[in-house]
Coordinates of all heavy atoms in Angstrom, one line a residue:
L123 N -5.0 7.8 -3.1 CA -5.6 7.8 -1.8 C -4.5 8.1 -0.7 O -4.8 9.0 0.2 CB -6.2 6.4 -1.5 CG -6.7 6.2 0.0 CD1 -7.9 7.1 0.3 CD2 -7.0 4.7 0.2
C124 N -3.3 7.5 -0.8 CA -2.3 7.8 0.2 C -1.9 9.2 0.2 O -1.6 9.8 1.2 CB -1.1 6.8 0.0 SG -1.4 5.1 0.3
D125 N -1.7 9.8 -1.0 CA -1.3 11.2 -1.2 C -2.3 12.1 -0.6 O -2.0 13.1 0.1 CB -1.1 11.5 -2.6 CG -0.4 12.8 -2.8 OD1 0.7 13.0 -2.4 OD2 -1.0 13.7 -3.5
R126 N -3.6 11.9 -0.9 CA -4.7 12.7 -0.3 C -4.7 12.6 1.3 O -4.9 13.6 2.0 CB -6.0 12.4 -0.9 CG -6.2 12.9 -2.3 CD -7.6 12.7 -2.8 NE -7.9 11.3 -3.1 CZ -8.7 10.5 -2.5 NH1 -9.4 10.9 -1.5 NH2 -8.9 9.3 -3.0
W127 N -4.5 11.3 1.7 CA -4.5 11.1 3.2 C -3.4 11.9 3.9 O -3.7 12.6 4.9 CB -4.4 9.6 3.4 CG -4.4 9.2 4.8 CD1 -3.4 9.1 5.7 CD2 -5.6 8.7 5.5 NE1 -3.9 8.6 6.9 CE2 -5.2 8.4 6.8 CE3 -6.9 8.5 5.1 CZ2 -6.1 7.9 7.8 CZ3 -7.8 8.0 6.1 CH2 -7.4 7.7 7.4
V128 N -2.2 11.8 3.4 CA -1.1 12.5 4.0 C -1.2 14.0 3.8 O -1.0 14.8 4.8 CB 0.3 12.0 3.4 CG1 1.4 12.9 3.8 CG2 0.5 10.5 3.7
H129 N -1.7 14.4 2.7 CA -1.9 15.9 2.4 C -2.9 16.5 3.4 O -2.8 17.6 3.8 CB -2.4 16.1 1.0 CG -2.5 17.5 0.6 ND1 -1.4 18.4 0.5 CD2 -3.6 18.3 0.3 CE1 -1.8 19.6 0.1 NE2 -3.1 19.6 0.0
S130 N -3.9 15.7 3.9 CA -4.9 16.1 4.8 C -4.3 16.2 6.3 O -5.1 16.6 7.2 CB -6.1 15.2 4.8 OG -5.8 14.0 5.4
G131 N -3.1 15.8 6.5 CA -2.5 15.8 7.8 C -2.6 14.5 8.6 O -2.2 14.5 9.7
R132 N -3.1 13.5 7.9 CA -3.3 12.2 8.6 C -2.0 11.4 8.5 O -1.1 11.7 7.7 CB -4.4 11.4 8.0 CG -5.8 12.1 8.3 CD -6.9 11.4 7.5 NE -8.2 11.8 7.9 CZ -8.9 12.8 7.4 NH1 -8.4 13.5 6.5 NH2 -10.1 13.1 7.9
T133 N -1.9 10.3 9.3 CA -0.7 9.5 9.4 C -0.9 8.1 8.8 O -2.0 7.6 8.8 CB -0.3 9.4 10.9 OG1 -0.1 10.7 11.4 CG2 1.0 8.5 11.1
M134 N 0.2 7.6 8.3 CA 0.2 6.2 7.8 C 1.4 5.4 8.5 O 2.5 6.0 8.7 CB 0.4 6.1 6.3 CG -0.6 7.0 5.5 SD -0.9 6.4 3.8 CE 0.8 6.1 3.2
T135 N 1.1 4.2 8.8 CA 2.1 3.4 9.5 C 2.4 2.1 8.8 O 1.4 1.4 8.4 CB 1.6 3.0 11.0 OG1 1.5 4.3 11.7 CG2 2.5 2.1 11.7
Y136 N 3.6 1.7 8.6 CA 4.0 0.5 8.0 C 4.1 -0.6 9.1 O 4.8 -0.5 10.1 CB 5.3 0.6 7.3 CG 5.8 -0.6 6.6 CD1 5.0 -1.4 5.8 CD2 7.2 -1.0 6.7 CE1 5.5 -2.5 5.1 CE2 7.7 -2.1 6.0 CZ 6.8 -2.9 5.2 OH 7.3 -4.0 4.6
A137 N 3.4 -1.8 8.8 CA 3.4 -2.9 9.7 C 3.9 -4.1 9.0 O 3.2 -4.9 8.5 CB 2.0 -3.1 10.2
P138 N 5.3 -4.3 9.0 CA 5.8 -5.4 8.2 C 5.5 -6.8 8.7 O 5.6 -7.8 7.9 CB 7.3 -5.2 8.3 CG 7.5 -4.4 9.5 CD 6.3 -3.5 9.6
E139 N 5.0 -6.9 9.9 CA 4.6 -8.2 10.4 C 3.2 -8.7 9.8 O 2.9 -9.9 10.0 CB 4.5 -8.2 11.9 CG 3.3 -7.4 12.5 CD 3.4 -5.9 12.6 OE1 4.4 -5.4 12.0 OE2 2.6 -5.3 13.2
C140 N 2.5 -7.8 9.1 CA 1.2 -8.2 8.5 C 1.5 -8.5 7.1 O 1.5 -7.7 6.2 CB 0.2 -7.0 8.7 SG -0.1 -6.5 10.4
V141 N 1.6 -9.8 6.8 CA 2.1 -10.3 5.5 C 1.1 -11.0 4.7 O 0.2 -11.7 5.2 CB 3.3 -11.3 5.8 CG1 3.8 -11.9 4.5 CG2 4.4 -10.7 6.6
I142 N 1.1 -10.7 3.4 CA 0.4 -11.4 2.4 C 1.3 -12.0 1.4 O 2.4 -11.4 1.1 CB -0.7 -10.6 1.7 CG1 -0.1 -9.4 0.9 CG2 -1.8 -10.1 2.7 CD1 -1.1 -8.7 0.0
L143 N 1.0 -13.1 0.8 CA 1.7 -13.7 -0.3 C 1.0 -13.4 -1.6 O -0.2 -13.6 -1.7 CB 1.8 -15.3 -0.1 CG 2.5 -15.7 1.1 CD1 2.5 -17.3 1.2 CD2 3.9 -15.2 1.3
H144 N 1.7 -12.9 -2.5 CA 1.1 -12.4 -3.8 C 1.5 -13.4 -4.9 O 2.7 -13.6 -5.2 CB 1.6 -11.0 -4.1 CG 0.9 -10.3 -5.3 ND1 1.5 -9.3 -6.0 CD2 -0.3 -10.5 -5.8 CE1 0.7 -8.9 -6.9 NE2 -0.5 -9.6 -6.8
A145 N 0.5 -14.0 -5.6 CA 0.7 -15.0 -6.6 C 0.1 -14.5 -7.9 O -1.0 -15.0 -8.3 CB 0.1 -16.3 -6.2
H146 N 0.7 -13.5 -8.6 CA 0.2 -13.0 -9.8 C 1.1 -13.5 -10.9 O 2.1 -12.9 -11.3 CB 0.2 -11.5 -9.8 CG -0.5 -10.9 -11.0 ND1 -0.8 -9.5 -11.1 CD2 -0.9 -11.4 -12.2 CE1 -1.4 -9.3 -12.2 NE2 -1.4 -10.4 -12.9
A147 N 0.7 -14.6 -11.5 CA 1.5 -15.2 -12.6 C 1.3 -14.4 -13.9 O 0.2 -13.9 -14.2 CB 1.0 -16.6 -12.9
M148 N 2.5 -14.2 -14.6 CA 2.4 -13.4 -15.9 C 3.6 -13.7 -16.7 O 4.7 -14.1 -16.2 CB 2.3 -11.9 -15.6 CG 3.5 -11.3 -15.0 SD 3.2 -9.5 -14.7 CE 2.7 -9.6 -13.0
G149 N 3.4 -13.6 -18.0 CA 4.5 -13.7 -19.0 C 4.9 -12.3 -19.4 O 4.4 -11.3 -18.9
L150 N 5.7 -12.3 -20.5 CA 6.2 -11.0 -20.9 C 5.1 -10.1 -21.4 O 5.1 -8.9 -21.1 CB 7.2 -11.2 -22.1 CG 7.8 -10.0 -22.8 CD1 8.5 -9.1 -21.8 CD2 8.7 -10.4 -23.9
A151 N 4.1 -10.7 -22.2 CA 3.0 -9.8 -22.7 C 2.2 -9.2 -21.6 O 1.9 -8.0 -21.6 CB 2.2 -10.6 -23.7
G152 N 1.9 -10.1 -20.6 CA 1.1 -9.6 -19.5 C 1.8 -8.5 -18.6 O 1.3 -7.5 -18.2

């Protein structure tokens, strides 16, 4: 999606103040 978006001439902006906490527990197999 991001690649097609940029390829079409559109812009993407990084907003580091917009934070989520990611809690994806996994072991070696996962």
